Amino acid sequence: MTPPPLVVIAGTLAVLLGLATMLTWAERRLLGLWQDRYGPNRVGPGGLFQAVADGIKILFKQDWIPPFADRPVFVLAPAIGMMTVLLAFGVIPVTALWSIAGDLNVGLLFVFATMGLGVYSVVLAGWASNSKYALLGGMRAAAQMISYEVFMGLSTMGVVMTAGSFSLRDIVQAQAGLWFVIPQCLGCAVFLLAGIAETHRLPFDLPEGENELGAGFHTEYSGMKFGMFFLSEYAGIVLVSALVTTLYLGGWQGPVLPPALWFAAKTGALVCLFILLRAALPRPRYDQLMALGWKVLLPLSLLNIVATGAVLLLRAPG
């Protein structure tokens, strides 16, 4: 039985925003585990209420707008960032029956369209702040996000060619016998690297490199405006993890357990991988980051498309 649309919308938003909030605690606990230290452990059991304390603190912080900033654009920028991530979740099929937009036949294109709009958030934040550090961070973010969106889109073409559809539900159902992570391992690796760059996560957090740019594009932000940037970054991690699960790990499919639990387990494992990368890898120089994209990931994406097309042609009847 398909749940009512309002229940699906409210449930998805509540889970997503709750996850984005609790990830701030989970990340610090996991980093503490991997770096042989405690992490947050004072507020609540295992420090669980640390995220709540941080949320309360950020709500009461002074919501200051610099006098030299472009006020309307300054206020709008963090809202755009949060809105684009939430919109992208509208087409993610958590199970065969749980998806806000239902079975949208261009679901994958819709996700890329909304993620592309997310560039405006960081660019406008950097420009409206009227600060050199913020502007440099915004320019870095624009170049990085636009570049890596190219490789992210190309890396999924093998999946689309194999499944024969842009519908995310059709792509999941096409993996009934074999998850696409095996035949599309190259595309999966490129997609994962591009996803890390899209969400500005370490080691690809060059737009907000604190040892170079203060805090990058959100240097001048405080209070809940900064909180929206913070939450949209963590929601973006969940989004990319959910996309990898949907495109390459069979989505909700799996034995014994309910479909929603399979989807949650796969997505959660990928989120932990994002956090582990932060603990394990150093930040490259900006020119190294861009060279990785254009000189390595682009050829690999095109090679994956050619190889997938060749295999499909050889398998075609007649």
Side-chain angles (χ1 to χ4, degrees):
M1 179 181 176
T2 305
L6 285 178
V7 172
V8 176
I9 294 170
T12 302
L13 284 176
V15 170
L16 177 59
L17 294 175
L19 275 176
T21 303
M22 293 311 297
L23 268 180
T24 61
W25 166 80
E27 179 171 39
R28 284 180 281 181
R29 287 293 292 183
L30 288 173
L31 289 176
L33 174 67
W34 289 323
Q35 296 169 351
D36 197 23
R37 54 186 177 81
Y38 287 113
N41 65 344
R42 299 291 181 184
V43 188
L48 190 61
F49 297 152
Q50 184 65 52
V52 179
D54 289 342
I56 294 171
K57 180 186 76 172
I58 210 165
L59 279 171
F60 286 97
K61 288 190 77 170
Q62 183 181 6
D63 193 13
W64 185 70
I65 299 177
F68 45 78
D70 187 330
R71 189 182 181 92
V73 182
F74 188 86
V75 173
L76 183 64
I80 293 174
M82 198 68 193
M83 179 190 69
T84 53
V85 176
L86 295 178
L87 277 174
F89 266 95
V91 295
I92 301 291
V94 177
T95 69
L97 300 176
W98 191 282
S99 176
I100 292 176
D103 188 16
L104 187 66
N105 62 349
V106 289
L108 186 58
L109 294 178
F110 181 83
V111 170
F112 286 141
T114 53
M115 291 178 77
L117 290 174
V119 178
Y120 287 101
S121 171
V122 291
V123 172
L124 291 176
W127 180 81
S129 297
N130 199 12
S131 160
K132 291 182 176 63
Y133 284 141
L135 182 60
L136 281 170
M139 291 172 66
R140 277 186 174 188
Q144 177 175 320
M145 293 176 75
I146 291 171
S147 297
Y148 276 82
E149 276 169 13
V150 175
F151 322 131
M152 181 178 271
L154 288 174
S155 66
T156 61
M157 288 302 99
V159 169
V160 172
M161 291 162 67
T162 307
S165 174
F166 279 101
S167 165
L168 293 176
R169 188 172 294 177
D170 290 347
I171 289 171
V172 172
Q173 290 168 347
Q175 300 176 67
L178 180 69
W179 293 356
F180 285 160
V181 69
I182 297 173
Q184 291 291 318
C185 56
L186 188 57
C188 181
V190 173
F191 187 90
L192 195 57
L193 285 171
I196 296 167
E198 277 291 299
T199 52
H200 315 139
R201 291 289 298 175
L202 272 163
F204 296 158
D205 66 332
L206 278 301
E208 49 197 83
E210 65 274 2
N211 56 344
E212 304 164 18
L213 301 174
F217 60 88
H218 55 63
T219 301
E220 304 296 337
Y221 281 87
S222 64
M224 263 321 290
K225 294 186 186 67
F226 169 78
M228 289 184 75
F229 277 124
F230 201 61
L231 283 180
S232 61
E233 178 180 313
Y234 282 98
I237 296 171
V238 179
L239 173 62
V240 172
S241 301
L243 280 172
V244 174
T245 297
T246 302
L247 296 172
Y248 297 101
L249 299 180
W252 65 79
Q253 298 185 97
V256 183
L257 296 176
L261 279 183
W262 271 113
F263 188 91
K266 295 171 186 177
T267 304
L270 288 164
V271 169
C272 290
L273 175 63
F274 267 82
I275 297 171
L276 177 59
L277 288 175
R278 173 175 180 172
L281 297 177
R283 181 189 295 131
R285 293 198 315 266
Y286 191 71
D287 61 304
Q288 292 172 331
L289 172 68
M290 299 305 284
L292 171 69
W294 291 106
K295 295 180 180 179
V296 178
L297 299 189
L298 179 60
L300 289 178
S301 301
L302 296 175
L303 175 63
N304 183 61
I305 294 172
V306 172
T308 304
V311 170
L312 291 176
L313 279 174
L314 289 173
R315 287 184 175 179

